[in-house]
Amino acid sequence: YQVFFLVPFCRNHKEKDGYDQEPWRFGQYYEGIIRKYLKLRYRMMPFLYTTLEEAHRTGVPLFRPLLLNYQTDENTLNLDDEFMVGDALLVAPVLQPNQTSRMVYLPAGVWYDYWTGKKYAGGTMIRADAPLETVPMYVRAGSMIPMGPEMNYTGEKPSDPINFIIYTDEKGEAATTVYEDDGTSPAYQQGVFRRTTLNVTSTGKNYQLNLSAPQGTYTPAPRKFVFNLKTITAARSVTVDGKAINAIKQGEAGDGWYKDGDGLSVRLTDDGRAHQISIR
């Protein structure tokens, strides 16, 4: 489970004569940990599906040795116990029994602990806490991780909202592309897909998020976009295409912006058009 909640073909079974290994066979504590990661898998499906489409289109794999992404870094030459998912997420699973921590190499740049949001300077080795319920994962600064709602199976309900978890780099920039299609047919080969590009830039404490008009003809069900900027803690005003939107409470319906844990979130109806969001 430390690895396979991220793989394309997520299965938990083995030979017919082996001991049963359904999650509940190990007791409530272990079942809870397994449930946590299966729920996270479905929340991360927009990110995983986008990265898999990139692999299909370009031949660059979903799981990547660090050497592939950091080819001039000699420290990655013999690393075989951590990997990248695309170019945004570094995963360092525990592969030996009775370990509650492990050493993790972070390449050059800035990295954020996925679970705590703690910031690390790259180009160094760190010791990561790794209790049984925590897989060490780090997000590369400059990335966005698109997340959907919890589901019990793919297509159970519309992916509403899509949350973009944004980790700006030292220049205040970040970018991503999200790919979608109907998930069931080859219609994407005739252009029935949707590819949306987002990027964030900043000047001082002012941030601008540019949402592109999508490519392709696929139209998803009505939904909201939520842009969660992890590196912004406050704002005076937020505008969409030059028009101010209201500050709202996190659970309040409608478009608006609000304080969200350790960051700031902007909620916007997905209308299939380009938009420019300014945060001051």
Side-chain angles (χ1 to χ4, degrees), residues 261-273:
D262 57 352
L264 187 86
S265 287
V266 179
R267 188 192 302 136
L268 186 66
T269 300
D270 174 20
D271 58 9
R273 298 200 297 263

Side-chain angles (χ1 to χ4, degrees), residues 23-234:
W24 50 87
R25 292 301 299 252
F26 302 106
Q28 186 175 2
Y29 173 65
Y30 301 99
E31 181 184 356
I33 296 173
I34 294 168
R35 180 182 291 111
K36 168 185 173 179
Y37 283 98
L38 291 178
K39 285 185 174 183
L40 180 59
R41 172 181 177 80
Y42 283 97
R43 287 210 63 215
M44 297 186 78
M45 199 57 68
F47 168 66
L48 296 174
Y49 201 70
T50 295
T51 311
L52 277 166
E53 189 277 334
E54 180 187 2
H56 165 76
R57 180 168 38 85
T58 67
V60 180
L62 170 72
F63 280 14
R64 306 175 185 177
L66 270 64
L67 176 61
L68 181 58
N69 284 6
Y70 299 91
Q71 298 184 20
T72 61
D73 186 344
E74 294 183 355
N75 294 307
T76 67
L77 291 175
N78 63 348
L79 278 179
D80 61 2
D81 62 351
E82 56 186 270
F83 58 91
M84 297 289 297
V85 183
D87 64 0
L89 188 65
L90 187 152
V91 185
V94 172
L95 302 174
Q96 300 296 328
N98 302 317
Q99 284 187 287
T100 57
S101 66
R102 59 155 292 167
M103 301 304 294
V104 177
Y105 178 70
L106 299 175
V110 175
W111 298 84
Y112 291 90
D113 186 302
Y114 176 84
W115 304 106
T116 68
K118 184 177 179 180
K119 184 178 178 179
Y120 292 92
T124 188
M125 189 80 75
I126 65 169
R127 177 167 290 280
D129 290 333
L132 192 60
E133 67 274 11
T134 302
V135 180
M137 298 197 298
Y138 301 87
V139 182
R140 180 182 59 81
S143 302
M144 303 185 194
I145 307 292
M147 307 274 284
E150 287 183 3
M151 296 190 190
N152 292 309
Y153 55 88
T154 303
E156 178 190 15
K157 56 187 175 181
S159 291
D160 181 28
I162 297 291
N163 287 273
F164 296 91
I165 315 301
I166 303 171
Y167 300 83
T168 55
D169 62 16
E170 57 271 26
K171 297 179 181 178
E173 299 177 353
T176 195
T177 298
V178 180
Y179 173 86
E180 302 168 276
D181 58 32
D182 65 19
T184 60
S185 79
Y188 68 91
Q189 296 175 350
Q190 283 72 50
V192 187
F193 63 84
R194 186 178 189 184
R195 182 174 285 111
T196 306
T197 300
L198 302 94
N199 69 77
V200 172
T201 58
S202 71
T203 304
K205 295 183 178 181
N206 300 327
Y207 288 80
Q208 182 171 297
L209 190 152
N210 298 297
L211 174 65
S212 73
Q215 298 176 326
T217 61
Y218 174 67
T219 302
R223 63 188 180 182
K224 299 283 188 180
F225 283 155
V226 177
F227 307 100
N228 177 223
L229 291 103
K230 287 291 188 182
T231 49
I232 301 178
T233 57

